[in-house]
Each structure stands twice: as structure tokens, then as C-alpha cells.
Amino acid sequence: MTFLAPGNSHEHSILQNIDKTGRQINYLRISVTDRCNLACMYCVPKENIPRLSHKKIARYEELVKIVNLAADIGITKVRITGGEPLVRKGIFTFIKKLHDIKNIRDVTVTTNGVLLKKQKINLRNSGIKRLNISLDTLDPEKFEFITGKNYFEQVWQGIMTAYDMGISPIKLNCVVMKHINGNEITDLAALSLKYPFHVRFIEYMPMGSSIVDETQQMFIPEIREILDNKFGPLVPVQKSVFDGPATRFRIRNAPGEIGFISPISSHFCSECNRIRLTSTGRLRPCLLRNTETDILGPLRQGALDSELKEIIKTVIKNKPAAHGIENKN
Ligand code: SAM
């Protein structure tokens, strides 16, 4: 029996991008660099991690090759992330090339926004239609406390640059930490009343060894209650095919939206459609696990396209059923 998932007209993808639990994997998240111009407290590990040498980082042409192969298997959506993707030279030319790959229907970027204004022209020419921008606070001092840099104004101007350019939707990602920015939930949500932004609240995931501990976790039900109490019951918004794991709502009559991402309190592993490619060219079947398979090494050693595709297919097939991060609260 052949199986073609609804909405996927890409014949080559039949069975090739289905994992062993039956999930269809069509989304590749690529980290293009380990470097970042911020040091967010929930992201950066306590101990110093040495920077990767340039030689180890996948070159753009290597990444384009891997995306081409992945697209043949059934990947249709690519997200560029980091580190901070905009610190890598030539990033927008690379993104433009990804748009040209057959079967890639959506290319998006997750950025901290610091360089968006400076890169305005490249941004406009890149073909990017949607952006995710991290914004954890509206308070410049707190921004510096969270990120280690006094760049709030630059980020806000970056958001406005993208907005004025007509990029839509602009999704603002906020990692909620109880005693740090937990008191700003309603202020951040209120941005969706003024602008058509999607303000998304993300549960803090205790990964690696960041200085933020589990006592700072705030779960989506609590966040939602705060918003319902302030703005009245949130109105559900229909999911679309390109939605990630966020559940979508709107404050009544708001031009923008509210999104909730609950990797801990109500994890969405059964719906997960993603794999990750690290900046050193290793494929991870789960974004939140360290298990990885090298694809860049074989590519550099001259592996055949069919062999490289086999690597991608095996990674997809063996995707774990769940991320394994426990809710200890
Ligand atoms: N530098 C870019 C940025 O700041 O958006 C892209 C990389 S950043 C690692 C990608 C996303 O991961 C951001 O939206 C950030 O908020 C989120 N993130 C990082 N560490 C996290 C954690 N421990 N828990 C939840 N979200 C986290």
C-alpha cells in the first residue's frame, strides 16, 4: 500500500520521510553558526564553550546540497537559526538560494533582531516573507540583564524595519522566566493589540547547563490564565499547514495573535515534523536531544547522493517518539 500524506503532492516523498511512529517529517531546522551577538541567560551554558573553527562549519554550498537532497526526500520547509544567523556573512544570499530549491515552499529565519535594521537591504532582497524574532522583555535594562547586551533599542528598530517592509507574520518569541520577565506577560501580549505581530510565549526548557534553574519555569496554563484575566477569554485561531508547535489565539478584535509553545507542560512530540542540521553538518532527529549523525563528513569525502539521502532517511526513520525532557514540577 502506498501512503501519501494529505497536502503533500511530492511523489518522491512517499514513505521516505515517514518515521517509525508514522510522523511525516517535512521541516528542517538549520543552525548556520554557533556564534551569537547576545548571551541569553536561558541559552548560554554556564561554562565557557570554545568556538568552533571555521573549517568545521558547513559551507553554504554544502548546506544547499544537503537541503536539495532533503527536499528530494520530502522536506518542504526550512528554518534558519543559530547561534545568531545574521552574524554569518552572506546569510541572505544563502537564503535566496534556498528559495530556489525545487519543493522548498517555505524558508524562515529565527533571529534576535539585532542586525535586522543594519541588513535592511539584504533582508528585502532575500525573499524572506516571514520572521521569528526573539523578544523576552520590553524593558531595556532587563533586556541587558537577560542577554548581556544593551541592544534593546536595536532589536526594537529591527522589528520595526521588518514590519515597515511588510514582512508578515512577524512572530515574537518570548521565553518566560517567572521572576525575570513573568511580570511582563500582559505587556508583551498587548503588542498584538497594536501590531499584527504573533506574540508567542515559550516555556523555558532546562537544557544543558544555563544559569536559569527550574524554579523559573512558568507553564502555559498559568500564562494563559493571566492573559484571560487581563484581556477576557482568548479566541482560538485555526492552525495552518506551516504552523509549528504553537497553539494560536487572539485577544478579541486584536490584529495580532498570541501563541503558546509548551514543550514541557504539554509536549507536542506526537505532532513533531522536524529534524535539525547543526552548524557542523550533523543531523539530529530531535531538536532537544544530542543524538546526531554526521552528514557533512561523508559529503566531504565524496559520498554519492544516494548514500547521503540514505543518511537523512535513516535519521528520519529513527526519530525518537518523545524529547525526554521531564516535567519535574
Ligand atoms: N539567535 C536567534 C534568536 O535569538 O532567536 C536564534 C537562535 S535561538 C537559540 C532560537 C530560539 O530558541 C529563540 O526563540 C529562543 O528564545 C529559544 N530558546 C533558546 N533556549 C531556550 C530554552 N532554554 N528554553 C526555551 N526556548 C529557548
Side-chain angles (χ1 to χ4, degrees):
M1 190 180 77
T2 53
F3 171 71
L4 188 59
N8 188 343
S9 60
H10 183 206
E11 281 176 32
H12 297 292
S13 70
I14 295 172
L15 288 177
Q16 298 190 62
N17 64 337
I18 309 288
D19 77 1
K20 59 177 187 277
T21 71
R23 294 169 297 190
Q24 186 182 31
I25 311 305
N26 54 15
Y27 180 145
L28 177 64
R29 183 181 282 229
I30 305 176
S31 170
V32 291
T33 179
D34 61 322
R35 278 128 165 106
C36 193
N37 43 3
L38 297 182
C40 300
M41 60 197 308
Y42 49 78
C43 188
V44 168
K46 266 186 266 178
E47 69 278 7
N48 244 344
I49 297 202
R51 283 174 160 196
L52 295 165
S53 76
H54 282 292
K55 268 204 316 253
K56 286 198 171 148
I57 305 278
R59 294 193 293 271
Y60 286 135
E61 57 273 26
E62 293 167 332
L63 293 174
V64 168
K65 166 102 182 171
I66 294 169
V67 176
N68 260 297
L69 297 169
D72 273 348
I73 288 166
I75 295 292
T76 56
K77 171 171 174 171
V78 175
R79 171 170 303 284
I80 305 302
T81 179
E84 169 51 35
L86 269 52
V87 300
R88 183 159 172 185
K89 233 171 125 187
I91 187 69
F92 288 105
T93 313
F94 167 63
I95 290 169
K96 202 159 187 287
K97 286 195 180 130
L98 293 182
H99 277 112
D100 294 338
I101 296 176
K102 198 172 156 235
N103 299 318
I104 296 297
R105 292 186 282 162
D106 195 32
V107 183
T108 52
V109 179
T110 300
T111 172
N112 59 34
V114 172
L115 293 172
L116 279 174
K117 188 174 178 201
K118 204 168 162 195
Q119 298 263 26
K120 186 176 174 173
I121 294 166
N122 291 332
L123 175 66
R124 178 171 288 129
N125 293 338
S126 70
I128 291 173
K129 297 187 186 66
R130 308 135 52 77
L131 269 181
N132 287 11
I133 306 173
S134 295
L135 186 72
D136 303 311
T137 176
L138 294 170
D139 172 350
E141 269 179 38
K142 204 185 288 177
F143 185 95
E144 186 168 358
F145 177 70
I146 293 173
T147 68
K149 291 279 166 57
N150 179 16
Y151 287 165
F152 175 79
E153 209 36 58
Q154 263 168 265
V155 171
W156 184 254
Q157 286 181 21
I159 294 169
M160 286 299 133
T161 299
Y163 174 53
D164 291 342
M165 212 179 266
I167 289 182
S168 172
I170 293 171
K171 297 181 181 173
L172 301 178
N173 287 342
C174 169
V175 177
V176 185
M177 295 163 286
K178 200 183 254 307
H179 301 110
I180 296 167
N181 59 356
N183 61 345
E184 285 193 74
I185 289 166
T186 54
D187 291 344
L188 285 156
L191 288 175
S192 72
L193 287 166
K194 189 161 177 207
Y195 302 98
F197 300 153
H198 295 195
V199 180
R200 306 183 335 150
F201 296 102
I202 306 174
E203 288 175 349
Y204 165 66
M205 290 176 285
M207 295 188 299
S209 57
S210 89
I211 56 166
V212 181
D213 67 30
E214 280 153 13
T215 61
Q216 297 295 343
Q217 277 182 313
M218 217 169 147
F219 295 112
I220 295 302
E222 187 184 350
I223 297 169
R224 174 133 187 226
E225 197 182 322
I226 291 170
L227 295 178
D228 280 342
N229 288 340
K230 171 78 181 177
F231 299 108
L234 298 179
V235 183
V237 173
Q238 180 87 40
K239 269 202 156 204
S240 92
V241 275
F242 285 125
D243 281 348
T247 47
R248 297 171 57 181
F249 295 86
R250 171 188 302 290
I251 298 172
R252 193 164 290 285
N253 298 325
E257 291 188 16
I258 304 293
F260 296 120
I261 303 183
S262 53
I264 310 292
S265 67
S266 154
H267 70 74
F268 32 75
C269 299
S270 65
E271 291 169 41
C272 182
N273 60 349
R274 299 183 276 183
I275 55 172
R276 177 193 282 273
L277 183 64
T278 69
S279 55
T280 52
R282 287 155 191 274
L283 283 167
R284 292 188 178 181
C286 171
L287 272 50
L288 304 180
R289 285 178 187 257
N290 293 335
T291 323
E292 53 188 30
T293 305
D294 186 17
I295 186 165
L296 183 61
L299 186 154
R300 286 183 175 174
Q301 284 149 26
L304 299 173
D305 285 1
S306 57
E307 291 167 333
L308 297 171
K309 279 190 203 173
E310 214 42 59
I311 294 176
I312 306 173
K313 282 193 253 175
T314 306
V315 166
I316 288 176
K317 205 164 99 218
N318 295 326
K319 185 174 165 66
H323 60 49
I325 298 180
E326 279 174 63
N327 181 357
K328 294 188 185 133
N329 290 265

PDB file of all heavy atoms in Angstrom, residues 8 24 33 56 129 145 155-156 160 181 217-218 266 275-276 288 294 297-298 314:
ATOM      1  N   ASN A   8       0.510  16.752   0.624  1.00  0.00           N
ATOM      2  CA  ASN A   8       1.859  16.571   0.077  1.00  0.00           C
ATOM      3  C   ASN A   8       1.753  15.938  -1.300  1.00  0.00           C
ATOM      4  O   ASN A   8       1.460  14.769  -1.449  1.00  0.00           O
ATOM      5  CB  ASN A   8       2.673  15.658   1.005  1.00  0.00           C
ATOM      6  CG  ASN A   8       4.123  15.608   0.561  1.00  0.00           C
ATOM      7  OD1 ASN A   8       4.430  15.977  -0.569  1.00  0.00           O
ATOM      8  ND2 ASN A   8       4.997  15.161   1.440  1.00  0.00           N
ATOM      9  N   GLN A  24       5.125  12.423   9.667  1.00  0.00           N
ATOM     10  CA  GLN A  24       5.736  12.854   8.416  1.00  0.00           C
ATOM     11  C   GLN A  24       6.689  14.017   8.703  1.00  0.00           C
ATOM     12  O   GLN A  24       6.279  15.057   9.219  1.00  0.00           O
ATOM     13  CB  GLN A  24       4.673  13.296   7.421  1.00  0.00           C
ATOM     14  CG  GLN A  24       5.285  13.594   6.069  1.00  0.00           C
ATOM     15  CD  GLN A  24       4.282  14.083   5.067  1.00  0.00           C
ATOM     16  OE1 GLN A  24       3.306  14.726   5.439  1.00  0.00           O
ATOM     17  NE2 GLN A  24       4.507  13.799   3.814  1.00  0.00           N
ATOM     18  N   THR A  33      25.419  28.771  12.337  1.00  0.00           N
ATOM     19  CA  THR A  33      26.602  29.208  13.082  1.00  0.00           C
ATOM     20  C   THR A  33      26.428  28.904  14.569  1.00  0.00           C
ATOM     21  O   THR A  33      25.288  28.839  15.062  1.00  0.00           O
ATOM     22  CB  THR A  33      26.856  30.726  12.899  1.00  0.00           C
ATOM     23  OG1 THR A  33      28.004  31.108  13.660  1.00  0.00           O
ATOM     24  CG2 THR A  33      25.682  31.579  13.342  1.00  0.00           C
ATOM     25  N   LYS A  56      35.259  23.577  10.477  1.00  0.00           N
ATOM     26  CA  LYS A  56      34.273  22.585  10.926  1.00  0.00           C
ATOM     27  C   LYS A  56      32.844  22.964  10.540  1.00  0.00           C
ATOM     28  O   LYS A  56      31.940  22.123  10.535  1.00  0.00           O
ATOM     29  CB  LYS A  56      34.343  22.439  12.449  1.00  0.00           C
ATOM     30  CG  LYS A  56      35.556  21.683  12.914  1.00  0.00           C
ATOM     31  CD  LYS A  56      35.339  21.197  14.327  1.00  0.00           C
ATOM     32  CE  LYS A  56      36.458  20.257  14.727  1.00  0.00           C
ATOM     33  NZ  LYS A  56      36.749  20.339  16.146  1.00  0.00           N
ATOM     34  N   LYS A 129       9.741  36.117   3.702  1.00  0.00           N
ATOM     35  CA  LYS A 129       8.384  36.655   3.860  1.00  0.00           C
ATOM     36  C   LYS A 129       7.937  36.653   5.302  1.00  0.00           C
ATOM     37  O   LYS A 129       7.028  37.367   5.683  1.00  0.00           O
ATOM     38  CB  LYS A 129       7.410  35.832   3.024  1.00  0.00           C
ATOM     39  CG  LYS A 129       7.708  35.925   1.541  1.00  0.00           C
ATOM     40  CD  LYS A 129       6.638  35.231   0.713  1.00  0.00           C
ATOM     41  CE  LYS A 129       7.033  35.210  -0.745  1.00  0.00           C
ATOM     42  NZ  LYS A 129       8.232  34.368  -0.979  1.00  0.00           N
ATOM     43  N   PHE A 145      20.020  42.607  31.178  1.00  0.00           N
ATOM     44  CA  PHE A 145      20.198  41.574  32.201  1.00  0.00           C
ATOM     45  C   PHE A 145      20.044  40.172  31.579  1.00  0.00           C
ATOM     46  O   PHE A 145      20.823  39.264  31.836  1.00  0.00           O
ATOM     47  CB  PHE A 145      19.152  41.791  33.312  1.00  0.00           C
ATOM     48  CG  PHE A 145      19.182  40.746  34.376  1.00  0.00           C
ATOM     49  CD1 PHE A 145      20.251  40.675  35.269  1.00  0.00           C
ATOM     50  CD2 PHE A 145      18.143  39.826  34.500  1.00  0.00           C
ATOM     51  CE1 PHE A 145      20.281  39.705  36.256  1.00  0.00           C
ATOM     52  CE2 PHE A 145      18.174  38.848  35.484  1.00  0.00           C
ATOM     53  CZ  PHE A 145      19.245  38.788  36.362  1.00  0.00           C
ATOM     54  N   VAL A 155      17.097  46.065  18.673  1.00  0.00           N
ATOM     55  CA  VAL A 155      16.167  44.979  18.374  1.00  0.00           C
ATOM     56  C   VAL A 155      14.798  45.552  18.009  1.00  0.00           C
ATOM     57  O   VAL A 155      14.176  45.147  17.015  1.00  0.00           O
ATOM     58  CB  VAL A 155      16.048  44.008  19.574  1.00  0.00           C
ATOM     59  CG1 VAL A 155      14.924  43.009  19.363  1.00  0.00           C
ATOM     60  CG2 VAL A 155      17.373  43.284  19.787  1.00  0.00           C
ATOM     61  N   TRP A 156      14.359  46.538  18.788  1.00  0.00           N
ATOM     62  CA  TRP A 156      13.043  47.110  18.511  1.00  0.00           C
ATOM     63  C   TRP A 156      13.041  47.759  17.113  1.00  0.00           C
ATOM     64  O   TRP A 156      12.091  47.589  16.340  1.00  0.00           O
ATOM     65  CB  TRP A 156      12.646  48.112  19.605  1.00  0.00           C
ATOM     66  CG  TRP A 156      11.251  48.612  19.367  1.00  0.00           C
ATOM     67  CD1 TRP A 156      10.880  49.832  18.914  1.00  0.00           C
ATOM     68  CD2 TRP A 156      10.048  47.839  19.499  1.00  0.00           C
ATOM     69  NE1 TRP A 156       9.515  49.891  18.749  1.00  0.00           N
ATOM     70  CE2 TRP A 156       8.985  48.679  19.117  1.00  0.00           C
ATOM     71  CE3 TRP A 156       9.765  46.526  19.895  1.00  0.00           C
ATOM     72  CZ2 TRP A 156       7.655  48.244  19.113  1.00  0.00           C
ATOM     73  CZ3 TRP A 156       8.441  46.094  19.897  1.00  0.00           C
ATOM     74  CH2 TRP A 156       7.399  46.945  19.510  1.00  0.00           C
ATOM     75  N   MET A 160      10.744  46.875  13.846  1.00  0.00           N
ATOM     76  CA  MET A 160      10.009  47.893  13.083  1.00  0.00           C
ATOM     77  C   MET A 160      10.456  47.917  11.607  1.00  0.00           C
ATOM     78  O   MET A 160       9.648  48.149  10.711  1.00  0.00           O
ATOM     79  CB  MET A 160      10.209  49.281  13.724  1.00  0.00           C
ATOM     80  CG  MET A 160       9.440  49.449  15.000  1.00  0.00           C
ATOM     81  SD  MET A 160       7.653  49.264  14.697  1.00  0.00           S
ATOM     82  CE  MET A 160       7.184  48.171  15.990  1.00  0.00           C
ATOM     83  N   ASN A 181      10.946  37.788  33.685  1.00  0.00           N
ATOM     84  CA  ASN A 181      10.040  38.534  32.796  1.00  0.00           C
ATOM     85  C   ASN A 181       8.586  38.073  32.947  1.00  0.00           C
ATOM     86  O   ASN A 181       7.732  38.487  32.169  1.00  0.00           O
ATOM     87  CB  ASN A 181      10.495  38.424  31.335  1.00  0.00           C
ATOM     88  CG  ASN A 181      10.555  36.982  30.854  1.00  0.00           C
ATOM     89  OD1 ASN A 181      10.337  36.054  31.625  1.00  0.00           O
ATOM     90  ND2 ASN A 181      10.840  36.796  29.577  1.00  0.00           N
ATOM     91  N   GLN A 217      10.680  28.222  35.850  1.00  0.00           N
ATOM     92  CA  GLN A 217       9.739  27.749  34.830  1.00  0.00           C
ATOM     93  C   GLN A 217       8.335  28.271  35.115  1.00  0.00           C
ATOM     94  O   GLN A 217       7.893  28.307  36.256  1.00  0.00           O
ATOM     95  CB  GLN A 217       9.718  26.226  34.795  1.00  0.00           C
ATOM     96  CG  GLN A 217      10.847  25.662  33.967  1.00  0.00           C
ATOM     97  CD  GLN A 217      10.802  24.157  33.900  1.00  0.00           C
ATOM     98  OE1 GLN A 217      10.631  23.496  34.909  1.00  0.00           O
ATOM     99  NE2 GLN A 217      10.962  23.619  32.716  1.00  0.00           N
ATOM    100  N   MET A 218       7.675  28.649  34.041  1.00  0.00           N
ATOM    101  CA  MET A 218       6.279  29.067  34.145  1.00  0.00           C
ATOM    102  C   MET A 218       5.574  28.361  33.005  1.00  0.00           C
ATOM    103  O   MET A 218       6.020  28.458  31.852  1.00  0.00           O
ATOM    104  CB  MET A 218       6.216  30.581  33.952  1.00  0.00           C
ATOM    105  CG  MET A 218       5.207  31.241  34.821  1.00  0.00           C
ATOM    106  SD  MET A 218       5.437  33.010  34.744  1.00  0.00           S
ATOM    107  CE  MET A 218       3.741  33.472  34.941  1.00  0.00           C
ATOM    108  N   SER A 266       2.891  20.332  27.990  1.00  0.00           N
ATOM    109  CA  SER A 266       2.011  19.551  27.128  1.00  0.00           C
ATOM    110  C   SER A 266       2.793  19.308  25.845  1.00  0.00           C
ATOM    111  O   SER A 266       2.581  19.959  24.838  1.00  0.00           O
ATOM    112  CB  SER A 266       0.743  20.367  26.885  1.00  0.00           C
ATOM    113  OG  SER A 266       0.136  20.045  25.702  1.00  0.00           O
ATOM    114  N   ILE A 275      13.450  17.890  11.911  1.00  0.00           N
ATOM    115  CA  ILE A 275      14.788  17.429  12.249  1.00  0.00           C
ATOM    116  C   ILE A 275      15.711  18.649  12.197  1.00  0.00           C
ATOM    117  O   ILE A 275      15.336  19.687  11.636  1.00  0.00           O
ATOM    118  CB  ILE A 275      15.307  16.316  11.290  1.00  0.00           C
ATOM    119  CG1 ILE A 275      15.238  16.766   9.829  1.00  0.00           C
ATOM    120  CG2 ILE A 275      14.553  15.020  11.514  1.00  0.00           C
ATOM    121  CD1 ILE A 275      15.913  15.787   8.875  1.00  0.00           C
ATOM    122  N   ARG A 276      16.890  18.506  12.782  1.00  0.00           N
ATOM    123  CA  ARG A 276      17.810  19.640  12.848  1.00  0.00           C
ATOM    124  C   ARG A 276      19.135  19.289  12.177  1.00  0.00           C
ATOM    125  O   ARG A 276      19.601  18.149  12.281  1.00  0.00           O
ATOM    126  CB  ARG A 276      18.066  19.992  14.324  1.00  0.00           C
ATOM    127  CG  ARG A 276      19.062  21.111  14.522  1.00  0.00           C
ATOM    128  CD  ARG A 276      19.490  21.193  15.973  1.00  0.00           C
ATOM    129  NE  ARG A 276      18.513  21.843  16.830  1.00  0.00           N
ATOM    130  CZ  ARG A 276      18.462  23.170  17.034  1.00  0.00           C
ATOM    131  NH1 ARG A 276      19.295  23.972  16.424  1.00  0.00           N
ATOM    132  NH2 ARG A 276      17.580  23.678  17.849  1.00  0.00           N
ATOM    133  N   LEU A 288      15.709  18.531  20.716  1.00  0.00           N
ATOM    134  CA  LEU A 288      16.051  18.659  22.122  1.00  0.00           C
ATOM    135  C   LEU A 288      16.938  17.523  22.647  1.00  0.00           C
ATOM    136  O   LEU A 288      17.120  17.373  23.837  1.00  0.00           O
ATOM    137  CB  LEU A 288      14.761  18.734  22.960  1.00  0.00           C
ATOM    138  CG  LEU A 288      13.802  19.845  22.546  1.00  0.00           C
ATOM    139  CD1 LEU A 288      12.571  19.857  23.417  1.00  0.00           C
ATOM    140  CD2 LEU A 288      14.491  21.203  22.611  1.00  0.00           C
ATOM    141  N   ASP A 294      26.573  12.347  11.518  1.00  0.00           N
ATOM    142  CA  ASP A 294      27.345  13.232  10.637  1.00  0.00           C
ATOM    143  C   ASP A 294      26.919  13.040   9.177  1.00  0.00           C
ATOM    144  O   ASP A 294      26.883  11.913   8.689  1.00  0.00           O
ATOM    145  CB  ASP A 294      28.828  12.871  10.801  1.00  0.00           C
ATOM    146  CG  ASP A 294      29.741  13.812  10.049  1.00  0.00           C
ATOM    147  OD1 ASP A 294      29.275  14.908   9.668  1.00  0.00           O
ATOM    148  OD2 ASP A 294      30.929  13.458   9.869  1.00  0.00           O
ATOM    149  N   GLY A 297      30.630  15.066   6.964  1.00  0.00           N
ATOM    150  CA  GLY A 297      31.855  14.258   6.768  1.00  0.00           C
ATOM    151  C   GLY A 297      31.727  13.417   5.503  1.00  0.00           C
ATOM    152  O   GLY A 297      32.553  13.551   4.572  1.00  0.00           O
ATOM    153  N   PRO A 298      30.697  12.566   5.423  1.00  0.00           N
ATOM    154  CA  PRO A 298      30.523  11.763   4.207  1.00  0.00           C
ATOM    155  C   PRO A 298      30.427  12.634   2.942  1.00  0.00           C
ATOM    156  O   PRO A 298      30.996  12.295   1.905  1.00  0.00           O
ATOM    157  CB  PRO A 298      29.205  11.022   4.466  1.00  0.00           C
ATOM    158  CG  PRO A 298      29.105  10.952   5.955  1.00  0.00           C
ATOM    159  CD  PRO A 298      29.761  12.189   6.477  1.00  0.00           C
ATOM    160  N   THR A 314      17.540   7.538   7.246  1.00  0.00           N
ATOM    161  CA  THR A 314      17.732   6.745   8.473  1.00  0.00           C
ATOM    162  C   THR A 314      17.500   7.618   9.703  1.00  0.00           C
ATOM    163  O   THR A 314      16.875   7.191  10.679  1.00  0.00           O
ATOM    164  CB  THR A 314      19.157   6.145   8.492  1.00  0.00           C
ATOM    165  OG1 THR A 314      19.337   5.433   7.280  1.00  0.00           O
ATOM    166  CG2 THR A 314      19.367   5.216   9.660  1.00  0.00           C
TER     167      THR A 314
END
